[in-house]
Amino acid sequence: MKLRYSFLEDDYVDFNRYHFAHSPSVRKQRFTATIVITLSVFVAFMLLTANGELGVATRLAISLIIAAFAVLYLQFAMRRNHVRQVQNLLREGSMDGVYGPQELEVDDAGIRVRSKWRDSFVAWPGVRRIEDTDEFLIIYVSAIQAHVIRRSRIVEGDPDKLAAFVRSHLENHQW
C-alpha cells in the first residue's frame, strides 16, 4: 500500500507545533514553568507593594490580574518561541533530502519512505504509534521522529486505508 505526497518546510514546522502541543513531557514542562513564573510574579508584586497605600484586598486583586496576564502571555510566548527555534534550525543547514516528493509504502515487513535523495526502512517493531488528525497522518518511529504526511499534499493513495493497515500492524507488534 502506497502514498505519494509532498513534504515541505511548513509541514515540518506545523508538525513540530503539533508535537509541542501534544507531547506529555513538553506539556508538563510548560505547566511547571507557568506555575513557577506566575507565583513568582504574584509574590513579587505582593512584597513590593507591602509598604504602600494599597490595602491587602486591592493588592491581592491586582496580583491575581497580573498573574492571569502572565499565564496568557507565557503560553503565547512559549509557542511562538518554539516555532521560531524550529525555523531557525531549519535555516542552519540543507534540508534538500527531506523536502519534496515522497513515497511511503507499507507492507507486512514495515514502512519504507523514498524520496529523490533517500530510501529508509523501519520494521514494525520500530514503529511506535500513529496519530491521525484532520490535517496530518503522523507515524512515529521514536519519541520525536516521525513520517509526517499532510493530507492536503497527498497526490496518490488512500490515507485512511493506510492508517488502518498501520494500526493493525501496531496491534500485532507490541513491544
Side-chain angles (χ1 to χ4, degrees):
M1 186 171 307
K2 291 182 186 179
L3 284 183
R4 287 195 172 98
Y5 59 98
S6 289
F7 185 73
L8 304 175
E9 181 176 334
D10 61 322
D11 300 328
Y12 190 81
V13 171
D14 290 345
F15 161 69
N16 275 276
R17 184 180 288 130
Y18 174 86
H19 186 71
F20 184 76
H22 294 87
S23 166
S25 61
V26 172
R27 290 169 71 180
K28 181 180 176 184
Q29 188 178 39
R30 207 171 50 221
F31 176 77
T32 302
T34 300
I35 295 299
V36 168
I37 292 171
T38 302
L39 287 175
S40 298
V41 167
F42 178 79
V43 169
F45 184 80
M46 290 297 283
L47 291 174
L48 290 172
T49 59
N51 294 332
E53 297 176 10
L54 298 175
V56 173
T58 303
R59 288 187 3 240
L60 185 60
I62 292 171
S63 294
L64 289 174
I65 291 169
I66 291 171
F69 279 114
V71 167
L72 293 174
Y73 176 74
L74 283 170
Q75 295 301 313
F76 167 76
M78 283 189 267
R79 285 185 180 98
R80 184 188 64 206
N81 185 47
H82 177 75
V83 170
R84 284 183 180 167
Q85 286 176 335
V86 169
Q87 290 168 331
N88 288 338
L89 288 170
L90 292 174
R91 284 192 278 282
E92 285 182 7
S94 173
M95 297 293 284
D96 291 338
V98 176
Y99 299 144
Q102 311 275 320
E103 180 182 272
L104 184 136
E105 183 176 3
V106 295
D107 59 26
D108 289 333
I111 299 174
R112 180 171 302 282
V113 176
R114 295 178 185 94
S115 71
K116 186 177 179 179
W117 289 280
R118 69 182 174 128
D119 185 343
S120 65
F121 176 80
V122 178
W124 287 115
V127 179
R128 298 293 169 227
R129 71 181 194 277
I130 183 169
E131 299 274 332
D132 194 358
T133 72
D134 291 339
E135 189 174 8
F136 290 106
L137 181 62
I138 305 167
I139 304 170
Y140 283 89
V141 295
S142 76
I144 60 170
Q145 184 181 6
H147 299 296
V148 180
I149 303 146
R150 188 182 295 265
R151 289 178 170 274
S152 63
R153 299 211 204 281
I154 296 172
V155 295
E156 184 182 317
D158 185 338
D160 296 324
K161 286 182 182 177
L162 188 129
F165 186 87
V166 170
R167 275 192 201 89
S168 72
H169 278 73
L170 288 177
E171 290 170 5
N172 294 331
H173 292 87
Q174 296 297 319
W175 47 89

